[in-house]
PDB file of all heavy atoms in Angstrom:
ATOM      1  N   VAL V1268     154.390-158.139   7.960  1.00  0.00           N
ATOM      2  CA  VAL V1268     153.095-157.970   8.121  1.00  0.00           C
ATOM      3  C   VAL V1268     152.343-157.897   6.840  1.00  0.00           C
ATOM      4  O   VAL V1268     151.318-158.364   6.535  1.00  0.00           O
ATOM      5  CB  VAL V1268     152.688-156.852   9.031  1.00  0.00           C
ATOM      6  CG1 VAL V1268     151.256-156.557   9.154  1.00  0.00           C
ATOM      7  CG2 VAL V1268     153.311-156.951  10.478  1.00  0.00           C
ATOM      8  N   LYS V1269     152.906-157.016   5.888  1.00  0.00           N
ATOM      9  CA  LYS V1269     152.349-156.843   4.554  1.00  0.00           C
ATOM     10  C   LYS V1269     152.224-158.188   3.798  1.00  0.00           C
ATOM     11  O   LYS V1269     151.242-158.449   3.221  1.00  0.00           O
ATOM     12  CB  LYS V1269     153.155-155.791   3.824  1.00  0.00           C
ATOM     13  CG  LYS V1269     152.644-155.422   2.404  1.00  0.00           C
ATOM     14  CD  LYS V1269     153.518-154.595   1.694  1.00  0.00           C
ATOM     15  CE  LYS V1269     153.871-153.201   2.292  1.00  0.00           C
ATOM     16  NZ  LYS V1269     154.673-152.416   1.469  1.00  0.00           N
ATOM     17  N   LYS V1270     153.388-158.925   3.861  1.00  0.00           N
ATOM     18  CA  LYS V1270     153.352-160.216   3.175  1.00  0.00           C
ATOM     19  C   LYS V1270     152.229-161.140   3.635  1.00  0.00           C
ATOM     20  O   LYS V1270     151.561-161.858   3.039  1.00  0.00           O
ATOM     21  CB  LYS V1270     154.743-160.878   3.361  1.00  0.00           C
ATOM     22  CG  LYS V1270     155.793-160.140   2.687  1.00  0.00           C
ATOM     23  CD  LYS V1270     157.121-160.934   2.947  1.00  0.00           C
ATOM     24  CE  LYS V1270     158.428-160.169   2.430  1.00  0.00           C
ATOM     25  NZ  LYS V1270     159.637-160.838   2.754  1.00  0.00           N
ATOM     26  N   ILE V1271     152.088-161.126   5.063  1.00  0.00           N
ATOM     27  CA  ILE V1271     151.123-161.951   5.655  1.00  0.00           C
ATOM     28  C   ILE V1271     149.672-161.689   5.210  1.00  0.00           C
ATOM     29  O   ILE V1271     148.861-162.519   4.807  1.00  0.00           O
ATOM     30  CB  ILE V1271     151.153-161.822   7.245  1.00  0.00           C
ATOM     31  CG1 ILE V1271     152.438-162.422   7.750  1.00  0.00           C
ATOM     32  CG2 ILE V1271     149.984-162.461   7.806  1.00  0.00           C
ATOM     33  CD1 ILE V1271     152.768-162.068   9.153  1.00  0.00           C
ATOM     34  N   LEU V1272     149.427-160.312   5.044  1.00  0.00           N
ATOM     35  CA  LEU V1272     148.119-159.904   4.574  1.00  0.00           C
ATOM     36  C   LEU V1272     147.842-160.273   3.105  1.00  0.00           C
ATOM     37  O   LEU V1272     146.793-160.760   2.807  1.00  0.00           O
ATOM     38  CB  LEU V1272     147.917-158.387   4.793  1.00  0.00           C
ATOM     39  CG  LEU V1272     147.718-157.986   6.235  1.00  0.00           C
ATOM     40  CD1 LEU V1272     147.891-156.439   6.388  1.00  0.00           C
ATOM     41  CD2 LEU V1272     146.392-158.372   6.841  1.00  0.00           C
ATOM     42  N   ILE V1273     148.894-159.958   2.362  1.00  0.00           N
ATOM     43  CA  ILE V1273     148.699-160.273   0.882  1.00  0.00           C
ATOM     44  C   ILE V1273     148.362-161.790   0.614  1.00  0.00           C
ATOM     45  O   ILE V1273     147.542-162.135  -0.007  1.00  0.00           O
ATOM     46  CB  ILE V1273     149.976-159.852   0.088  1.00  0.00           C
ATOM     47  CG1 ILE V1273     150.080-158.312   0.138  1.00  0.00           C
ATOM     48  CG2 ILE V1273     149.934-160.367  -1.338  1.00  0.00           C
ATOM     49  CD1 ILE V1273     151.318-157.719  -0.550  1.00  0.00           C
ATOM     50  N   VAL V1274     149.256-162.595   1.227  1.00  0.00           N
ATOM     51  CA  VAL V1274     149.096-164.068   1.083  1.00  0.00           C
ATOM     52  C   VAL V1274     147.727-164.584   1.719  1.00  0.00           C
ATOM     53  O   VAL V1274     147.026-165.299   0.986  1.00  0.00           O
ATOM     54  CB  VAL V1274     150.265-164.839   1.817  1.00  0.00           C
ATOM     55  CG1 VAL V1274     149.972-166.275   1.851  1.00  0.00           C
ATOM     56  CG2 VAL V1274     151.602-164.473   1.095  1.00  0.00           C
ATOM     57  N   SER V1275     147.382-164.079   2.778  1.00  0.00           N
ATOM     58  CA  SER V1275     146.121-164.420   3.436  1.00  0.00           C
ATOM     59  C   SER V1275     144.909-164.042   2.609  1.00  0.00           C
ATOM     60  O   SER V1275     144.032-164.882   2.439  1.00  0.00           O
ATOM     61  CB  SER V1275     145.966-163.948   4.847  1.00  0.00           C
ATOM     62  OG  SER V1275     147.133-164.322   5.640  1.00  0.00           O
ATOM     63  N   LEU V1276     144.874-162.749   2.284  1.00  0.00           N
ATOM     64  CA  LEU V1276     143.717-162.310   1.441  1.00  0.00           C
ATOM     65  C   LEU V1276     143.575-163.004   0.093  1.00  0.00           C
ATOM     66  O   LEU V1276     142.494-163.334  -0.270  1.00  0.00           O
ATOM     67  CB  LEU V1276     143.841-160.846   1.202  1.00  0.00           C
ATOM     68  CG  LEU V1276     143.429-159.884   2.437  1.00  0.00           C
ATOM     69  CD1 LEU V1276     143.905-158.472   2.271  1.00  0.00           C
ATOM     70  CD2 LEU V1276     142.037-159.941   2.866  1.00  0.00           C
ATOM     71  N   THR V1277     144.731-163.161  -0.536  1.00  0.00           N
ATOM     72  CA  THR V1277     144.705-163.876  -1.855  1.00  0.00           C
ATOM     73  C   THR V1277     144.116-165.284  -1.634  1.00  0.00           C
ATOM     74  O   THR V1277     143.247-165.801  -2.427  1.00  0.00           O
ATOM     75  CB  THR V1277     146.128-163.942  -2.467  1.00  0.00           C
ATOM     76  OG1 THR V1277     146.557-162.625  -2.635  1.00  0.00           O
ATOM     77  CG2 THR V1277     146.097-164.589  -3.842  1.00  0.00           C
ATOM     78  N   THR V1278     144.667-166.024  -0.674  1.00  0.00           N
ATOM     79  CA  THR V1278     144.305-167.448  -0.436  1.00  0.00           C
ATOM     80  C   THR V1278     142.789-167.551  -0.130  1.00  0.00           C
ATOM     81  O   THR V1278     142.072-168.379  -0.781  1.00  0.00           O
ATOM     82  CB  THR V1278     145.112-168.029   0.669  1.00  0.00           C
ATOM     83  OG1 THR V1278     146.531-167.883   0.390  1.00  0.00           O
ATOM     84  CG2 THR V1278     144.817-169.480   0.868  1.00  0.00           C
ATOM     85  N   THR V1279     142.383-166.872   0.878  1.00  0.00           N
ATOM     86  CA  THR V1279     140.961-166.960   1.319  1.00  0.00           C
ATOM     87  C   THR V1279     139.969-166.403   0.227  1.00  0.00           C
ATOM     88  O   THR V1279     138.926-167.002   0.104  1.00  0.00           O
ATOM     89  CB  THR V1279     140.766-166.232   2.615  1.00  0.00           C
ATOM     90  OG1 THR V1279     141.105-164.799   2.460  1.00  0.00           O
ATOM     91  CG2 THR V1279     141.473-166.790   3.813  1.00  0.00           C
ATOM     92  N   SER V1280     140.235-165.404  -0.459  1.00  0.00           N
ATOM     93  CA  SER V1280     139.396-164.837  -1.549  1.00  0.00           C
ATOM     94  C   SER V1280     139.129-165.901  -2.634  1.00  0.00           C
ATOM     95  O   SER V1280     138.071-166.122  -3.037  1.00  0.00           O
ATOM     96  CB  SER V1280     139.923-163.563  -2.036  1.00  0.00           C
ATOM     97  OG  SER V1280     140.031-162.584  -1.001  1.00  0.00           O
ATOM     98  N   VAL V1281     140.256-166.404  -3.153  1.00  0.00           N
ATOM     99  CA  VAL V1281     140.156-167.361  -4.152  1.00  0.00           C
ATOM    100  C   VAL V1281     139.346-168.610  -3.718  1.00  0.00           C
ATOM    101  O   VAL V1281     138.471-169.080  -4.466  1.00  0.00           O
ATOM    102  CB  VAL V1281     141.523-167.846  -4.752  1.00  0.00           C
ATOM    103  CG1 VAL V1281     141.453-169.006  -5.744  1.00  0.00           C
ATOM    104  CG2 VAL V1281     142.193-166.567  -5.435  1.00  0.00           C
ATOM    105  N   ILE V1282     139.759-169.176  -2.579  1.00  0.00           N
ATOM    106  CA  ILE V1282     139.048-170.296  -2.070  1.00  0.00           C
ATOM    107  C   ILE V1282     137.572-170.083  -1.780  1.00  0.00           C
ATOM    108  O   ILE V1282     136.694-170.846  -2.154  1.00  0.00           O
ATOM    109  CB  ILE V1282     139.779-170.937  -0.837  1.00  0.00           C
ATOM    110  CG1 ILE V1282     141.144-171.446  -1.203  1.00  0.00           C
ATOM    111  CG2 ILE V1282     138.906-172.007  -0.266  1.00  0.00           C
ATOM    112  CD1 ILE V1282     141.864-171.831  -0.010  1.00  0.00           C
ATOM    113  N   GLY V1283     137.288-168.876  -1.278  1.00  0.00           N
ATOM    114  CA  GLY V1283     135.991-168.586  -0.959  1.00  0.00           C
ATOM    115  C   GLY V1283     135.068-168.387  -2.150  1.00  0.00           C
ATOM    116  O   GLY V1283     133.842-168.956  -2.137  1.00  0.00           O
ATOM    117  N   ILE V1284     135.500-167.821  -3.214  1.00  0.00           N
ATOM    118  CA  ILE V1284     134.741-167.678  -4.450  1.00  0.00           C
ATOM    119  C   ILE V1284     134.433-169.118  -4.988  1.00  0.00           C
ATOM    120  O   ILE V1284     133.375-169.391  -5.486  1.00  0.00           O
ATOM    121  CB  ILE V1284     135.446-166.773  -5.349  1.00  0.00           C
ATOM    122  CG1 ILE V1284     135.443-165.299  -4.906  1.00  0.00           C
ATOM    123  CG2 ILE V1284     134.684-166.804  -6.800  1.00  0.00           C
ATOM    124  CD1 ILE V1284     136.298-164.399  -5.681  1.00  0.00           C
ATOM    125  N   LEU V1285     135.538-169.883  -5.079  1.00  0.00           N
ATOM    126  CA  LEU V1285     135.404-171.246  -5.726  1.00  0.00           C
ATOM    127  C   LEU V1285     134.341-172.120  -4.897  1.00  0.00           C
ATOM    128  O   LEU V1285     133.466-172.697  -5.414  1.00  0.00           O
ATOM    129  CB  LEU V1285     136.742-171.886  -5.742  1.00  0.00           C
ATOM    130  CG  LEU V1285     137.713-171.313  -6.675  1.00  0.00           C
ATOM    131  CD1 LEU V1285     138.996-172.048  -6.611  1.00  0.00           C
ATOM    132  CD2 LEU V1285     137.220-171.438  -8.170  1.00  0.00           C
ATOM    133  N   LEU V1286     134.453-171.996  -3.589  1.00  0.00           N
ATOM    134  CA  LEU V1286     133.565-172.875  -2.644  1.00  0.00           C
ATOM    135  C   LEU V1286     132.195-172.343  -2.805  1.00  0.00           C
ATOM    136  O   LEU V1286     131.197-173.158  -2.778  1.00  0.00           O
ATOM    137  CB  LEU V1286     134.142-172.782  -1.251  1.00  0.00           C
ATOM    138  CG  LEU V1286     135.144-173.848  -0.880  1.00  0.00           C
ATOM    139  CD1 LEU V1286     135.539-173.712   0.626  1.00  0.00           C
ATOM    140  CD2 LEU V1286     134.573-175.200  -0.992  1.00  0.00           C
ATOM    141  N   MET V1287     132.031-171.056  -2.780  1.00  0.00           N
ATOM    142  CA  MET V1287     130.608-170.563  -2.981  1.00  0.00           C
ATOM    143  C   MET V1287     129.912-171.025  -4.234  1.00  0.00           C
ATOM    144  O   MET V1287     128.815-171.422  -4.227  1.00  0.00           O
ATOM    145  CB  MET V1287     130.598-168.994  -2.855  1.00  0.00           C
ATOM    146  CG  MET V1287     129.191-168.466  -2.856  1.00  0.00           C
ATOM    147  SD  MET V1287     129.069-166.654  -2.904  1.00  0.00           S
ATOM    148  CE  MET V1287     129.678-166.323  -4.607  1.00  0.00           C
ATOM    149  N   GLY V1288     130.649-170.892  -5.316  1.00  0.00           N
ATOM    150  CA  GLY V1288     130.179-171.391  -6.647  1.00  0.00           C
ATOM    151  C   GLY V1288     129.843-172.829  -6.594  1.00  0.00           C
ATOM    152  O   GLY V1288     128.787-173.328  -6.991  1.00  0.00           O
ATOM    153  N   GLY V1289     130.773-173.700  -6.052  1.00  0.00           N
ATOM    154  CA  GLY V1289     130.541-175.098  -5.938  1.00  0.00           C
ATOM    155  C   GLY V1289     129.413-175.450  -5.013  1.00  0.00           C
ATOM    156  O   GLY V1289     128.601-176.370  -5.318  1.00  0.00           O
ATOM    157  N   ALA V1290     129.279-174.658  -3.903  1.00  0.00           N
ATOM    158  CA  ALA V1290     128.155-174.940  -2.955  1.00  0.00           C
ATOM    159  C   ALA V1290     126.765-174.638  -3.629  1.00  0.00           C
ATOM    160  O   ALA V1290     125.778-175.354  -3.400  1.00  0.00           O
ATOM    161  CB  ALA V1290     128.268-174.154  -1.693  1.00  0.00           C
ATOM    162  N   LEU V1291     126.770-173.470  -4.291  1.00  0.00           N
ATOM    163  CA  LEU V1291     125.501-173.142  -5.005  1.00  0.00           C
ATOM    164  C   LEU V1291     125.080-174.164  -6.050  1.00  0.00           C
ATOM    165  O   LEU V1291     123.807-174.626  -6.127  1.00  0.00           O
ATOM    166  CB  LEU V1291     125.645-171.780  -5.684  1.00  0.00           C
ATOM    167  CG  LEU V1291     125.625-170.546  -4.746  1.00  0.00           C
ATOM    168  CD1 LEU V1291     125.992-169.328  -5.419  1.00  0.00           C
ATOM    169  CD2 LEU V1291     124.303-170.444  -3.890  1.00  0.00           C
ATOM    170  N   ILE V1292     126.019-174.644  -6.809  1.00  0.00           N
ATOM    171  CA  ILE V1292     125.781-175.689  -7.804  1.00  0.00           C
ATOM    172  C   ILE V1292     125.326-176.961  -7.130  1.00  0.00           C
ATOM    173  O   ILE V1292     124.352-177.601  -7.676  1.00  0.00           O
ATOM    174  CB  ILE V1292     126.951-175.820  -8.700  1.00  0.00           C
ATOM    175  CG1 ILE V1292     127.213-174.568  -9.516  1.00  0.00           C
ATOM    176  CG2 ILE V1292     126.709-177.061  -9.721  1.00  0.00           C
ATOM    177  CD1 ILE V1292     128.551-174.630 -10.255  1.00  0.00           C
ATOM    178  N   GLY V1293     126.072-177.388  -6.119  1.00  0.00           N
ATOM    179  CA  GLY V1293     125.806-178.647  -5.483  1.00  0.00           C
ATOM    180  C   GLY V1293     124.908-178.640  -4.255  1.00  0.00           C
ATOM    181  O   GLY V1293     124.967-179.571  -3.384  1.00  0.00           O
ATOM    182  N   ALA V1294     124.150-177.513  -4.083  1.00  0.00           N
ATOM    183  CA  ALA V1294     123.286-177.377  -2.892  1.00  0.00           C
ATOM    184  C   ALA V1294     122.325-178.539  -2.698  1.00  0.00           C
ATOM    185  O   ALA V1294     122.023-179.039  -1.648  1.00  0.00           O
ATOM    186  CB  ALA V1294     122.523-176.030  -2.918  1.00  0.00           C
ATOM    187  N   LYS V1295     121.722-178.992  -3.805  1.00  0.00           N
ATOM    188  CA  LYS V1295     120.712-180.073  -3.758  1.00  0.00           C
ATOM    189  C   LYS V1295     121.385-181.349  -3.203  1.00  0.00           C
ATOM    190  O   LYS V1295     120.820-182.138  -2.433  1.00  0.00           O
ATOM    191  CB  LYS V1295     120.104-180.370  -5.193  1.00  0.00           C
ATOM    192  CG  LYS V1295     119.061-179.287  -5.553  1.00  0.00           C
ATOM    193  CD  LYS V1295     117.774-179.549  -4.855  1.00  0.00           C
ATOM    194  CE  LYS V1295     116.636-178.633  -5.411  1.00  0.00           C
ATOM    195  NZ  LYS V1295     115.349-178.841  -4.672  1.00  0.00           N
ATOM    196  N   VAL V1296     122.615-181.583  -3.741  1.00  0.00           N
ATOM    197  CA  VAL V1296     123.384-182.804  -3.338  1.00  0.00           C
ATOM    198  C   VAL V1296     123.738-182.700  -1.847  1.00  0.00           C
ATOM    199  O   VAL V1296     123.556-183.654  -1.058  1.00  0.00           O
ATOM    200  CB  VAL V1296     124.655-182.985  -4.223  1.00  0.00           C
ATOM    201  CG1 VAL V1296     125.398-184.185  -3.723  1.00  0.00           C
ATOM    202  CG2 VAL V1296     124.246-183.106  -5.685  1.00  0.00           C
ATOM    203  N   LEU V1297     124.221-181.576  -1.399  1.00  0.00           N
ATOM    204  CA  LEU V1297     124.533-181.321   0.024  1.00  0.00           C
ATOM    205  C   LEU V1297     123.285-181.586   0.912  1.00  0.00           C
ATOM    206  O   LEU V1297     123.397-182.131   1.893  1.00  0.00           O
ATOM    207  CB  LEU V1297     125.089-179.865   0.189  1.00  0.00           C
ATOM    208  CG  LEU V1297     126.494-179.593  -0.342  1.00  0.00           C
ATOM    209  CD1 LEU V1297     126.805-178.105  -0.193  1.00  0.00           C
ATOM    210  CD2 LEU V1297     127.517-180.490   0.373  1.00  0.00           C
ATOM    211  N   ALA V1298     122.183-181.072   0.390  1.00  0.00           N
ATOM    212  CA  ALA V1298     120.942-181.161   1.196  1.00  0.00           C
ATOM    213  C   ALA V1298     120.534-182.630   1.270  1.00  0.00           C
ATOM    214  O   ALA V1298     120.080-183.130   2.425  1.00  0.00           O
ATOM    215  CB  ALA V1298     119.853-180.399   0.625  1.00  0.00           C
ATOM    216  N   SER V1299     120.672-183.369   0.241  1.00  0.00           N
ATOM    217  CA  SER V1299     120.257-184.793   0.249  1.00  0.00           C
ATOM    218  C   SER V1299     121.098-185.642   1.080  1.00  0.00           C
ATOM    219  O   SER V1299     120.630-186.608   1.754  1.00  0.00           O
ATOM    220  CB  SER V1299     120.204-185.382  -1.154  1.00  0.00           C
ATOM    221  OG  SER V1299     121.462-185.296  -1.806  1.00  0.00           O
TER     222      SER V1299
END
């Protein structure tokens, strides 16, 4: 259970931060 949580939190946190940054930078493109 501990391993599941560590792997999951690490994976989603890294991807979430990267995607948020990319989405903010490319918001105009996404909107168009």
Side-chain angles (χ1 to χ4, degrees):
V1268 174
K1269 186 188 296 186
K1270 294 178 187 178
I1271 292 169
L1272 286 171
I1273 291 173
V1274 172
S1275 301
L1276 284 170
T1277 302
T1278 303
T1279 56
S1280 297
V1281 171
I1282 294 176
I1284 293 172
L1285 292 175
L1286 272 179
M1287 184 184 71
L1291 287 172
I1292 294 171
K1295 283 284 187 182
V1296 177
L1297 289 172
S1299 63

